[in-house]
Amino acid sequence: MSSGKIYFAWVDDAEVFSVATHAREDEEVFALTISHGEGEFATASVEIRNPGIGLLAPGRKRRAFISCELTAGASPTLLFAGSLTAFPVGLVGQESVAIECVSRPFDDRGALLALFGSLNGLVSTASLPQSGILAGAKLNLGFTQLASADVVDPLWIENTHYRVDFAAGILTVIEIPVGWTPANLAVSISRPRRPQFEPLLLPEDYDPADPAVALAAIPLVVHWPRVGGSPTLSHIFAGSGFTTLTASDVWNVSVEVTEPPVTQIDVELDVGWSQRVATQFDAAPKIFAAANGGVPTTTISTITQDDLESAWTGAVSGSSSGYSVKYAALRKVGTTVSSAATVSALDYPSGDPEVDYIRSPDWPATPDVPRNRQISYEVGVFTGQMQIEANYEQPRREVVSFSVTAGIQPLFVASGSSAKREKLALKANSYIDAELETSQLVEYQSPDGETTWKTSVRQRAAASACFAGGGLSTLGLNLVQNAMQRARAKLAAAARAIAVSFECTFEAAAALTLSSSVRLSGIPGLGTCRGKVTQLTLSADADGQRTAKVTIGVAIGTGVQASLTGWQTAGATSWQNETADGPAGLSSSVMSYVGTKTPESGVYPWRPVDAAALVADPDDFCITNVTVTNALGSQNTGLALTSDPEAYLRDHPISISIALKNIEPQSGEILLEADLPSLVAGLPLGINLARTA
């Protein structure tokens, strides 16, 4: 079969390929090599007749379409679209020169940002026929929204019995196992997608257009079409197209182990955060109750009214750090009379303005006769507020560890090489605090109603960032799943440990792209294998010689899908318990506290502040005791027993003492370590190593 012509057309940037318009020879092509590697821009090295003019001269077109007739007389097929990248290379005066073109979009960064933004797309399934399906059948999955970016991780749905073309939404049945029905597949495909992008685990200065960042948690690669257009995402195991080649279609087949595969990823998730509570509470109700013998009331009464003023403002002076009085005020709302004191009339003559004389029943009409007298004092009745602000801030750190093992077949590699185990260390960035924070605007008002103020209360009161209610918290599950997904993506890339290269016809290779999947069948010494194209080279010359070389990456997984049943809630129970001596209910092999104070005989000498309780009921949590000394009841009792009430009241002024719980943070950070169960990542079976001999 003879080869047809090669066409080269210089075009404007916005032109779209058309056979009628662009099947022309603006340059005479002597030789052509198109090379395309996975995740890279395709390049075209072209030897053309020396045009004798400057190809980079101002005003000249620099974008080119390269097409060819795959067979003589056939309609031309576009092979490459790209732009001239450099000055032509060759000897001056020679018949030909070499030029280099690259298929790179003018705004490749913008294209990547748009592409990665589509990763949040949704995927759904339609009903599939439940019977009458034969091997080789192609079923439309009926995706309501589907693009190459909207990929349900094939680590969950990859199967040796079927293959999904994500770009077209087509399921191809390879073989039908016993008991298999499309309903099984529908359930598998409709599983929720795992977290693919977690900003809290990214560097704060990350580049959103960096594929290493955007695709860190999902085994996809960017595919830059060699014929131009927007980039797409291709799974490393399953491309958007599928081609089967047999022994008669390929030659010079070679197999290479790319490198010893990583068999286990040890994940260490480091979450550093600051537990913080800033709240206010009114201590006045507890003071009023303490002054009233423990019975709740709304006022406080005293004979020594001036002493109450000073006692009120100084009640929390010298308290533990973390507290401050934001507002303290009293308002007199009434008066009463104290109990009577029996005194000598000589010591307390009539007319003393400081006392209120009350005559006894036997009081004589003649006032100059020395007799005992009964006197009483004015009692002030007050209400008020004592707004105390509590500020607690404790550095905390949680290190969650687990391992993900690759479900791969044993692979014997060259002497001196061995399977590898890698560590994946991930650290949450500073935005973790904002993620844990709740905020509310609280308005306070003074007792007289004349003063109001508002305080924005921002809380990070959770007992843990990663754990809650006997398992992983919502945030913890997101972080751990993203870390797990990253580990699985690494194992997936490593599982594609075999590269199979072969030569084939130019026509067959021209139909492939770097997002195509190839199945090789009946290859002597290799058997059957399948993988995605990772390298493609097309070569042609003016004499009609055309060659093509293709490399596919083949996975050595077992094809067994792993189960994570019960994993999400493993490894944690309620551990923030104010009444316990340590992290209650947790096995030391699962989770433990590590701090500046170490356990003694299994008992923790310190307990973390229960910040949630502090937020929920701050006055009950913070106030451990209120003592009102020489309250009105005590003063009345003393007056009844003294003969010198002035001295008694001077020596027994009312005083208030508020004991507050210590909320001073521990020196250094509180470290919580947790070990989650190990996982096995199910990986696709691209080749059965036991059948390749």
Side-chain angles (χ1 to χ4, degrees):
M1 185 179 296
S2 60
S3 301
K5 290 184 177 181
I6 299 175
Y7 299 101
F8 189 106
W10 293 111
V11 297
D12 291 325
D13 294 343
E15 285 191 58
V16 178
F17 179 76
S18 167
V19 171
T21 305
H22 300 116
R24 63 177 189 257
E25 297 179 83
D26 291 347
E27 305 293 348
E28 184 179 354
V29 177
F30 294 148
L32 166 68
T33 299
I34 297 174
S35 299
H36 199 182
E38 188 175 60
E40 300 173 351
F41 303 113
T43 60
S45 298
V46 192
E47 184 182 352
I48 62 173
R49 183 178 297 279
N50 193 334
I53 58 174
L55 294 178
L56 296 178
R60 281 191 58 88
K61 297 176 181 179
R62 299 185 183 181
R63 186 165 179 256
F65 286 147
I66 302 175
S67 58
C68 77
E69 298 172 353
L70 295 180
T71 59
S75 178
T77 297
L78 180 63
L79 298 178
F80 179 88
S83 301
L84 185 65
T85 60
F87 190 81
V89 177
L91 295 175
V92 176
Q94 292 296 308
E95 180 183 10
S96 65
V97 293
I99 62 173
E100 188 88 9
C101 297
V102 63
S103 183
R104 180 173 187 168
F106 296 107
D107 182 15
D108 54 310
R109 177 179 173 81
L112 286 175
L113 289 173
L115 177 65
F116 296 150
S118 69
L119 281 174
N120 293 324
L122 300 177
V123 179
S124 60
T125 60
S127 59
L128 299 174
Q130 299 299 300
S131 62
I133 299 177
L134 303 176
K138 294 183 181 297
L139 307 176
N140 191 327
L141 294 178
F143 287 103
T144 57
Q145 177 185 350
L146 188 65
S148 59
D150 297 323
V151 179
V152 179
D153 186 352
L155 292 180
W156 285 95
I157 68 171
E158 184 78 3
N159 194 289
T160 57
H161 308 299
Y162 56 83
R163 179 175 295 100
V164 176
D165 181 338
F166 289 104
I170 300 297
L171 166 76
T172 301
V173 179
I174 300 172
E175 59 181 320
I176 301 178
V178 176
W180 184 83
T181 69
N184 302 140
L185 175 68
V187 171
S188 181
I189 291 182
S190 61
R191 287 179 178 174
R193 292 170 58 181
R194 312 201 67 74
Q196 299 172 349
F197 187 77
E198 179 50 74
L200 294 178
L201 295 181
L202 296 176
E204 294 180 15
D205 58 349
Y206 77 92
D207 181 1
D210 183 358
V213 172
L215 305 179
I218 186 168
L220 300 177
V221 291
V222 177
H223 170 233
W224 299 96
R226 69 172 187 269
V227 294
S230 300
T232 60
L233 292 174
S234 177
H235 200 280
I236 64 172
F237 296 139
S240 59
F242 179 69
T243 300
T244 297
L245 299 174
T246 64
S248 61
D249 300 318
V250 299
W251 54 90
N252 292 335
V253 179
S254 63
V255 179
E256 178 185 358
V257 177
T258 55
E259 62 179 53
V262 177
T263 58
Q264 180 171 312
I265 302 290
D266 298 318
V267 180
E268 183 180 275
L269 178 60
D270 191 333
V271 181
W273 60 291
S274 179
Q275 188 179 40
R276 178 186 176 191
V277 172
T279 188
Q280 289 188 26
F281 58 91
D282 187 4
K286 290 188 178 295
I287 298 174
F288 297 155
N292 195 39
V295 179
T297 183
T298 58
T299 59
I300 184 171
S301 302
T302 183
I303 301 171
T304 54
Q305 299 178 41
D306 291 341
D307 294 324
L308 177 61
E309 294 278 359
S310 59
W312 192 261
T313 57
V316 294
S317 62
S319 64
S320 60
S321 64
Y323 296 99
S324 61
V325 178
K326 299 296 291 184
Y327 181 86
L330 284 169
R331 181 165 59 95
K332 192 172 183 178
V333 294
T335 60
T336 61
V337 178
S338 72
S339 297
T342 302
V343 298
S344 168
L346 296 178
D347 294 330
Y348 289 85
S350 176
D352 190 330
E354 298 297 325
V355 297
D356 180 25
Y357 289 91
I358 301 177
R359 297 188 176 190
S360 300
D362 60 345
W363 194 260
T366 306
D368 57 349
V369 177
R371 294 289 182 92
N372 289 337
R373 296 177 177 178
Q374 289 184 312
I375 61 174
S376 62
Y377 292 81
E378 179 185 285
V379 174
V381 181
F382 297 84
T383 189
Q385 278 189 4
M386 186 180 293
Q387 291 288 341
I388 300 176
E389 183 177 73
N391 280 285
Y392 169 71
E393 188 161 358
Q394 173 67 59
R396 286 182 176 266
R397 182 169 164 239
E398 298 174 31
V399 178
V400 182
S401 302
F402 60 93
S403 296
V404 183
T405 302
I408 59 175
Q409 304 169 70
L411 178 65
F412 296 95
V413 296
S415 177
S417 299
S418 61
K420 294 185 296 185
R421 182 172 176 172
E422 290 186 358
K423 181 176 180 179
L424 175 61
L426 298 172
K427 187 176 181 64
N429 58 42
S430 63
Y431 297 116
I432 189 77
D433 282 334
E435 188 74 16
L436 292 165
E437 199 164 69
T438 59
S439 178
Q440 59 178 329
L441 192 64
V442 181
E443 181 173 302
Y444 298 95
Q445 188 176 60
S446 62
D448 56 13
E450 295 180 357
T451 304
T452 60
W453 68 97
K454 295 181 179 181
T455 301
S456 179
V457 181
R458 305 183 71 86
Q459 315 283 15
R460 294 192 289 273
S464 167
C466 296
F467 296 94
L472 288 166
S473 64
T474 300
L475 175 61
L477 185 60
N478 289 341
L479 294 174
V480 171
Q481 283 188 328
N482 182 260
M484 179 196 70
Q485 191 81 335
R486 289 182 182 226
R488 294 172 72 240
K490 282 180 169 290
L491 291 174
R496 204 173 62 171
I498 292 180
V500 179
S501 300
F502 56 87
E503 294 181 32
C504 63
T505 64
F506 188 92
E507 294 78 15
L512 300 175
T513 70
L514 268 290
S515 66
S516 297
S517 292
V518 173
R519 184 187 190 201
L520 298 177
S521 178
I523 309 300
L526 184 64
T528 298
C529 69
R530 63 179 180 272
K532 193 189 77 69
V533 177
T534 60
Q535 185 72 41
L536 177 66
T537 303
L538 299 171
S539 299
D541 60 28
D543 297 330
Q545 296 295 319
R546 298 184 181 182
T547 60
K549 185 174 182 179
V550 180
T551 300
I552 61 174
V554 179
I556 60 170
T558 61
V560 177
Q561 183 170 302
S563 172
L564 301 182
T565 303
W567 166 79
Q568 289 89 339
T569 57
T573 59
S574 177
W575 55 271
Q576 178 70 30
N577 189 335
E578 185 65 20
T579 62
D581 290 323
L586 291 180
S587 166
S588 60
S589 63
V590 174
M591 186 179 296
S592 62
Y593 272 125
V594 179
T596 54
K597 299 179 181 180
T598 56
E600 298 174 1
S601 302
V603 177
Y604 283 79
W606 54 268
R607 302 185 185 99
V609 170
D610 188 344
L614 171 56
V615 170
D617 197 354
D619 55 339
D620 281 343
F621 181 87
C622 295
I623 299 176
T624 59
N625 186 50
V626 176
T627 302
V628 179
T629 305
N630 298 319
L632 178 61
S634 176
Q635 289 179 334
N636 279 335
T637 300
L639 285 176
L641 299 176
T642 184
S643 60
D644 189 352
E646 292 295 325
Y648 172 80
L649 293 176
R650 183 177 60 250
D651 296 337
H652 296 81
I654 188 171
S655 64
I656 302 170
S657 175
I658 302 176
L660 297 171
K661 180 174 293 185
N662 180 16
I663 59 172
E664 186 175 356
Q666 298 290 324
S667 59
E669 64 187 9
I670 294 178
L671 173 63
L672 176 66
E673 295 179 325
D675 293 318
L676 298 181
S678 298
L679 310 171
V680 177
L683 297 168
L685 177 68
I687 184 172
N688 190 333
L689 298 178
R691 299 181 182 177
T692 58

